[in-house]
């Protein structure tokens, strides 16, 4: 079982550019922006990527009010993924279903709201503090709300991995399937970060909050004029199964996860490390038994910060300069969806196996010469036979993650 | 200020319940039956009712009195003196 092939058989997502895979893909190919201006407490007008999915499509209003925004995102994505997979969980042993969701942070939204009310409405009387605070802020909240909603009695937890978390959720799901701990994994990444002013304020204090009069240009990874990150919310949850199980039920197979890796920089709280990024990609390639020449698309983490983009480009240049890999980045379209980023950005490229297109970047008017890497799909989608996708996601405290997905072949 | 009667207190309680039992029809509540048997309410919902009484009407319900909130009738009987204090 440890060598079982693990495949993706369902995708559920919500993003600033659509609430299902087809809409998201179409909007990426048509080069639409999902970034808008919005008002954030203590911050005023900021650019952000917001989702518009129906929060009560799969849960009662009361449970939505009791839960969290990220719980609602997770419930929506999990149900959409199962529907897409044609999977009725009632026909499964629910003890053998696991939920593994990557998160960048959790609890800030509810804590900020409670403290705001404590100071502004309750004259610092802590007896008004909500009894919902603890279940809303425990770190497993997002995955736990999914199990409550779907009656799943297998394991559930979140994986705190900064902005590498989306990939880490998928890696955890794959590992649990290979260990035989579960038969179905609902795995991916989620984020509610646009509901907390603190994350915006901290990026601004760091000089890393993207801004522009036109919100569509507020984050422009790889452009000379880029000035930072746009915070977004969203989620992408995948149904993962062992190939043998997927074949038994004639499941639609989006792709096979053939390689992965995660490592740590051990050098800085926020600054990236090119060498560790290279090692992360190399280790993922080794696990996949591939070389750089076998990769058709590299999806960059590329957040729109000056140094982050340059260092990642340097890493990619060293590995892929002599190959025919096409390079793209998604955050110019949708901003940085934090814990959801890796999983969402993979979804943006996954249809390439079928439509044979590589979506472009967004917002690059003057490409930074230091980011002018070979194969970069700067402005328009390109036609190309795609067999393998390498998906990068990196995060603070020096956490790197790489996934390699291959088009399914028997 | 005139004291609130049964129906007026009931309206206040019903408004709170309506904001908590968001998916239920609260217009047909029978006052002498357990609220839990008529609505989809659990312990967290009753804590919500207690909190809303405190926020909206500055009424404190000590934990030992929570059983008084079992039916609409017992709610109103218990809360009327508190509303009129």
């Amino acid at each position: 079982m440890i060598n079982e092939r693990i495949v993706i058989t369902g995708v559920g997502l919500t993003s600033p550019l659509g609430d299902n895979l087809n809409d998201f893909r179409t909007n990426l190919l048509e080069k639409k922006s999902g970034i808008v201006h919005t008002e954030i407490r203590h911050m005023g007008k900021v650019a952000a990527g917001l989702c518009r999915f129906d929060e009560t499509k799969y849960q009662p209003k009361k449970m939505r009010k009791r839960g969290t925004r990220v719980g609602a995102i997770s419930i929506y994505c999990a149900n959409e993924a199962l529907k897409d997979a044609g999977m009725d969980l009632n026909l499964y042993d629910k003890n053998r279903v696991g939920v593994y969701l990557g998160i960048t942070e959790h609890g800030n939204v509810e804590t900020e709201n409670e403290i705001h009310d404590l100071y502004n409405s309750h004259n610092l009387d802590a007896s008004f503090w909500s009894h919902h605070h603890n279940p809303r802020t425990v770190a497993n909240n997002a995955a736990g709300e999914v199990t409550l909603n779907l009656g799943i009695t297998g394991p559930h937890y979140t994986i705190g991995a900064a902005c590498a978390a989306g990939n880490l959720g998928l890696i955890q799901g794959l590992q649990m399937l290979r260990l035989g701990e579960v038969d179905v994994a609902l795995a991916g990444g989620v984020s509610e970060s646009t509901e907390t002013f603190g994350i915006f304020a901290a990026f601004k204090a760091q000089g890393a909050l993207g801004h522009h009069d036109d919100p569509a240009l507020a984050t422009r990874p790889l452009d000379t004029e880029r000035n930072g990150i746009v915070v977004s919310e969203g989620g992408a949850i995948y149904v993962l199964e062992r190939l043998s199980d997927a074949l038994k039920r004639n499941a639609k197979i989006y792709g096979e996860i053939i390689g992965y890796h995660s490592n740590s920089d051990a050098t800085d709280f926020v600054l990236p490390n090119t060498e560790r990024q290279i090692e992360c990609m190399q280790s993922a390639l080794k696990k996949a038994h591939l070389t750089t020449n076998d990769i058709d698309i590299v999806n960059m983490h590329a957040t729109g910060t000056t140094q982050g983009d340059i260092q990642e480009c340097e890493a990619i240049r060293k590995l892929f300069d002599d190959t025919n890999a096409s390079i793209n980045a998604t955050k110019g379209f949708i901003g940085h969806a934090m814990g959801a980023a890796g999983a969402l950005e993979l979804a943006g490229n996954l249809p390439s196996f079928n439509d044979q297109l590589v979506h472009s970047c967004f917002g690059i008017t003057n490409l930074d010469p230091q980011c002018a890497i070979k194969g970069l799909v700067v402005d328009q989608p390109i036609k190309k036979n795609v067999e393998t996708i390498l998906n990068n996601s990196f995060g603070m405290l020096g956490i790197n993650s790489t996934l390699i997905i291959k088009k399914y072949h028997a | 200020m005139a004291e609130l009667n049964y129906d007026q207190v009931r309206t206040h309680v019903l408004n709170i319940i309506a904001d908590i039992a968001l998916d239920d029809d609260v217009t047909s509540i029978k006052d002498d039956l357990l609220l839990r048997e008529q609505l989809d309410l659990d312990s967290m919902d009753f804590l919500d009712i207690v909190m809303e009484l405190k926020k909206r009407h500055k009424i404190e319900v000590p934990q030992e009195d929570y059983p008084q909130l079992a039916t609409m009738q017992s709610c109103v009987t218990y809360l009327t003196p508190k509303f009129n204090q």
Side-chain angles (χ1 to χ4, degrees):
Chain A
M1 191 167 283
I2 202 74
N3 294 318
E4 283 264 7
R5 296 168 69 182
I6 307 300
V7 291
I8 296 169
T9 57
V11 184
L13 66 82
T14 180
S15 79
L17 269 184
D19 303 323
N20 59 67
L21 182 59
N22 187 54
D23 288 354
F24 183 38
R25 177 67 173 175
T26 300
N27 287 329
L28 289 173
L29 292 174
E30 292 180 357
K31 294 206 67 189
K32 292 180 181 168
S33 169
I35 311 296
V36 296
H37 277 143
T38 188
E39 290 285 326
I40 300 286
R41 177 194 296 155
H42 308 313
M43 294 293 294
K45 187 173 79 173
V46 296
L50 305 176
C51 299
R52 298 164 200 83
F53 71 102
D54 178 359
E55 287 190 315
T56 54
K57 184 174 180 180
Y58 297 109
Q59 67 170 336
K61 289 177 190 166
K62 186 177 87 171
M63 298 312 285
R64 169 60 195 99
K65 189 178 175 189
R66 179 177 293 186
T68 62
R69 174 67 171 173
V70 78
I73 287 170
S74 304
I75 287 168
Y76 176 84
C77 292
N79 279 276
E80 288 279 305
L82 289 167
K83 190 166 77 173
D84 184 50
M87 184 177 279
D88 179 0
L89 280 189
N90 293 316
L91 303 176
Y92 284 74
D93 178 355
K94 291 187 179 179
N95 293 316
R96 302 279 302 161
V97 180
V99 184
Y100 310 104
L101 302 183
I103 55 169
T104 287
E105 45 79 30
H106 183 70
N108 290 325
V109 174
E110 303 303 327
T111 304
E112 283 180 11
N113 287 342
E114 288 292 330
I115 289 175
H116 178 84
D117 290 347
L118 187 68
Y119 275 81
N120 293 284
S121 304
H122 305 315
N123 196 29
L124 297 182
D125 180 352
S127 70
F128 283 100
W129 195 269
S130 174
H131 50 281
H132 293 296
H133 178 78
N134 289 346
R136 284 176 182 158
T137 58
V138 287
N140 62 318
N141 169 271
E145 285 202 38
V146 171
T147 62
L148 286 166
N149 176 263
L150 287 163
I152 292 169
T153 49
H156 84 262
Y157 44 90
T158 54
I159 296 100
C163 301
N167 277 356
L168 266 295
L170 283 156
I171 292 170
Q172 185 71 21
L174 171 144
Q175 291 173 331
M176 291 299 111
L177 285 163
R178 282 191 174 157
L179 286 172
E181 294 288 331
V182 294
D183 296 327
V184 177
L186 292 169
V190 290
S191 175
E192 63 177 9
S193 293
T194 49
E195 305 262 310
T196 157
F197 82 88
I199 198 162
F200 290 90
F203 278 131
K204 189 168 185 181
Q206 194 187 334
L209 186 67
H211 55 90
H212 194 279
D213 289 342
D214 177 358
L217 298 177
T219 187
R220 284 172 286 170
L222 315 183
D223 188 88
T224 50
E225 299 295 316
R226 66 190 180 280
N227 57 28
I229 291 166
V230 160
V231 181
S232 299
E233 63 174 356
I237 296 180
Y238 296 84
V239 174
L240 304 183
E241 297 175 80
R242 289 182 283 272
L243 175 62
S244 52
D245 292 333
L247 291 176
K248 271 183 224 162
R249 67 182 192 92
N250 293 315
K252 166 182 63 185
I253 296 175
Y254 282 96
E256 178 181 357
I257 306 176
I258 58 167
Y260 66 89
H261 195 68
S262 180
N263 67 356
S264 305
D265 295 342
T267 46
D268 194 274
F269 271 62
V270 294
L271 299 178
N273 181 311
T274 302
E275 289 307 311
R276 297 292 92 73
Q277 292 175 353
I278 290 170
E279 287 168 9
C280 189
M281 287 185 270
Q282 285 175 325
S283 295
L285 286 162
K286 189 175 176 187
K287 286 176 185 166
H289 305 292
L290 297 180
T291 71
T292 51
N293 287 314
D294 299 312
I295 299 297
D296 297 309
I297 297 176
V298 175
N299 183 258
M300 296 182 66
H301 184 63
T303 62
T305 62
T306 303
Q307 189 167 352
D309 288 359
I310 290 170
Q311 290 199 226
E312 186 181 0
C313 284
E314 190 181 331
I316 290 173
R317 189 180 288 116
K318 280 190 179 169
L319 286 181
F320 293 98
D321 210 35
D322 296 329
T323 75
N324 292 317
S326 298
I327 319 291
N328 64 10
T330 320
K331 292 183 179 70
F333 291 96
I334 62 169
H336 191 341
M338 303 286 142
L344 260 182
E345 292 165 15
L346 172 63
N349 274 319
L350 209 48
S352 294
F353 293 144
N354 292 324
D355 63 23
Q356 305 293 303
L357 292 166
V358 182
H359 78 68
S360 65
C361 302
F362 185 94
I364 301 175
T365 307
N366 297 301
L367 179 63
D368 181 343
Q370 294 186 82
C371 297
I373 46 180
K374 181 173 175 257
L376 189 67
V377 187
V378 176
D379 188 45
Q380 291 298 324
I382 61 167
K383 191 81 182 164
K384 177 175 182 172
N385 180 44
V386 176
E387 289 283 326
T388 53
I389 300 166
L390 184 148
N391 194 60
N392 278 334
S393 271
F394 310 132
M396 287 187 180
L397 282 300
I399 182 167
N400 307 306
S401 69
T402 298
L403 275 180
I404 301 176
I405 314 294
K406 188 173 173 58
K407 184 176 183 176
Y408 171 66
H409 295 289
Chain B
M1 194 161 62
E3 293 204 335
L4 299 186
N5 61 29
Y6 183 97
D7 287 342
Q8 289 168 317
V9 172
R10 187 185 190 280
T11 299
H12 284 311
V13 174
L14 191 67
N15 287 341
I16 288 174
I17 292 174
D19 288 341
I20 292 166
L22 289 169
D23 306 286
D24 293 331
D25 175 13
V26 299
T27 60
S28 56
I29 291 175
K30 291 188 169 47
D31 288 18
D32 56 338
L33 297 182
L34 291 172
L35 288 168
R36 272 185 198 237
E37 290 181 357
Q38 303 176 76
L39 304 169
D40 181 23
L41 294 177
D42 58 24
S43 59
M44 295 290 270
D45 296 318
F46 279 92
L47 288 173
D48 280 341
I49 293 172
V50 170
M51 182 61 86
E52 288 307 309
L53 284 166
K54 183 179 168 79
K55 283 182 179 174
R56 298 185 195 187
H57 304 293
K58 297 185 171 56
I59 288 175
E60 300 270 1
V61 181
Q63 198 165 353
E64 60 269 23
D65 290 347
Y66 287 177
Q68 303 292 335
L69 305 180
T71 68
M72 179 62 89
Q73 195 170 58
S74 65
C75 274
V76 177
T77 303
Y78 170 74
L79 293 170
T80 298
K82 291 179 177 288
F83 270 99
N84 290 325
Q85 266 179 2

